[in-house]
Amino acid sequence: MSDLRDLYQEVILDHNKHPRNFRSVEPHSHQANGYNPLCGDRVTIQLSVEGGVIAQIGFQGDGCAISTASASLMTEALEGRTVEEAQALFDRFHDLVTRDDAYPEAALGKIAVLAGVRDYPMRVKCATLAWHTLHAALAEKDEVSTE
Amino acid sequence: MSTVTPMQTHDAVTPLAVERLRADFPIFARPMNGKRLVFLDNAASAQKPEAVIRAIDECYGEYYANIHRGVYQLSQRSTQAYEAVRGKVRALLNGADDREVVFVRGATEAINLVAHSYVRPRLGPGDEILITGMEHHSNIVPWQLLCEETGATLVVSPITDKGEVDVEDFRSRLTARTKFVSIVHVSNALGTVNPVQEMIAAAHEFGVAVLVDGAQSVPHLSVDVAELDCDFYCFSGHKIYGPSGVGVLWGRLDLLREMRPYQGGGEMIRYVTFERSEFAEPPQRFEAGTPNIAGVVGLGAAIDYVCAIGTERIAAHEHALLEYATARLGEVEGVRIIGTATAKAGVISFLMGRVHPHDIGTVLDLEGVAIRAGHHCAQPVMQRYGIPATARASFGLYNTYDDVDVLVRALDKVRELFI
């Protein structure tokens, strides 16, 4: 088992205490609610997409440090990106936290700090909840559950 | 005995004896993350002593065969070993007759069995089933399904801020419409020990039968179904140091006799033709198919194990740990205990500042401390307190004061990281 600090890196602790873009986006073009029935974590993601570009993105909800930090880092990483870029980043991020042979690519930027969760299979869904919810919002589904 | 055993009337299990008992459990010989394992998730499931593991091993290795039907010696030995456990359960619960003991998969199946075989034929539109506000999902959902099917209503007696049943409110919800009462003995989320004897007496004034969910009370308390005067009582093997996948429904024989089968199949019949079948008497009527033979044998070994120590001594020891842990956690800055009932068993649910219980659970895990974090399959209890989850420490006979100290020290690490 890895050290606690490999999981709870400073960036994660900081984003948990001071989440970025923790707000509603009005008006928004896309929205979805995510729910992790295992732990009761909830997240709402709202975005305004203009010409295929994520102009604004915000999240709200209640969750553990991993899910809060992941949502916060995600919104920071996605503002100004195209929808296609966001999907590609989701795929890369998903690999990072679920595959042992994945390595933090430079393209992932700060969200690579979440790589430590792959040593904690019970916590992977905490890290991916915001991303699954984003995916649902972009696919115009209202709700997603990590079940 | 239906309440927590008072400390002054019984000898507490001394710390030395607990260290000896710990040696009975092979899992404690293994370090967790290089540290001594501090296992505080006994409300979810308990660890297994060597005696239980050996009994299962012997069953499979020395005398296993299918029960009841074989005319050969192995089958007879298996049948004897399986049937002997009914007597152990009867003695544990102070039942009147071995035939009152039905083996099921666990407390959940026991509740579903009663819902299907006893309550369903008695239920119609406008009828009511009464439960409390602190039930586990397993004592909510089967009744919801039944109400949906029959047009009956599930009535809930809410709990107080301390996490206690309001007995006056409970009484006031008993009416001529009430057809069944199903109540938890000890809350798995709050630790509350309910005054079930008083509640059963109230229900009986209305002629209503009562099921007591004892998943969290056996063997943390001494249970006496005769004194409680309940109609059904259930518990799970895995929480009393026995194997998972086996549990008990205890029911009054006269009620079991008038109940229809739960599942159809082999073992539960007297005579079968293509036109109709005659059903076996209880308990076989409710044990269709080949049962969990080795599981029942393991349950028997677990009952022998706890009875040799004494359920009152176990209760006294766990109560002493509860009091110590309540005091120690109370000293930790930011800790708020959820569930402060006057009568509690060895379960402490708590919050720490705004730190999410899952983060507490992960940090504690790396310190070798296993606790539960989440809603404990009691989401309505969480809703009652307006919280998504709690961290929960729950004690077993092998826990020590030192375990509590390790827990409290590990919470300092939580503070360092998150507060």
Side-chain angles (χ1 to χ4, degrees), chain B residues 239-322:
Chain B
K239 289 185 183 175
I240 79 154
Y241 313 101
S244 61
V246 64
V248 166
L249 169 68
W250 175 90
R252 270 174 43 201
L253 193 57
D254 56 330
L255 299 186
L256 292 176
R257 276 197 170 126
E258 64 189 52
M259 281 160 59
R260 57 199 289 250
Y262 174 50
Q263 293 178 326
E267 292 280 357
M268 51 73 72
I269 43 77
R270 183 184 285 149
Y271 190 70
V272 176
T273 66
F274 282 121
E275 286 68 43
R276 61 180 292 274
S277 300
E278 274 176 39
F279 303 122
E281 285 293 306
Q284 277 75 25
R285 186 185 299 169
F286 306 104
E287 294 180 10
T290 297
N292 185 353
I293 300 165
V296 167
V297 168
L299 172 65
I303 292 172
D304 286 345
Y305 183 79
V306 297
C307 288
I309 299 167
T311 49
E312 295 194 355
R313 292 178 75 212
I314 294 171
H317 170 66
E318 290 173 2
H319 196 244
L321 284 176
L322 172 75

Side-chain angles (χ1 to χ4, degrees), chain A residues 59-71:
Chain A
F59 82 102
Q60 288 170 292
D62 192 13
C64 65
I66 303 296
S67 78
T68 303
S70 181

Side-chain angles (χ1 to χ4, degrees), chain A residues 1-5 7-8 13 16-17 35 37-41 62-66 120 123 126, chain B residues 33 354 356 358-363 365-367 373-375 379 388-389 413 415-419:
Chain A
M1 190 59 77
S2 61
D3 184 67
L4 205 51
R5 288 285 178 169
L7 176 65
Y8 292 116
L13 296 175
N16 176 48
K17 277 184 199 163
Y35 177 52
L38 190 71
C39 57
D41 285 359
D62 192 13
C64 65
I66 303 296
Y120 300 81
R123 304 301 299 275
C126 307
Chain B
N33 296 323
R354 291 180 47 78
H356 193 284
H358 276 100
D359 294 316
I360 298 176
T362 295
V363 174
D365 180 40
L366 291 179
E367 297 298 312
H375 52 60
Q379 283 180 320
K413 298 237 168 178
R415 172 189 321 289
E416 274 170 36
L417 277 179
F418 298 107
I419 297 180

Side-chain angles (χ1 to χ4, degrees), chain B residues 2 132 134 163-165 184-187 192-197 199 343:
Chain B
S2 62
T132 77
M134 67 174 92
E164 292 175 327
V165 166
V184 70
H185 196 170
V186 175
S187 160
T192 311
V193 181
N194 284 318
V196 286
Q197 198 171 347
M199 296 160 80

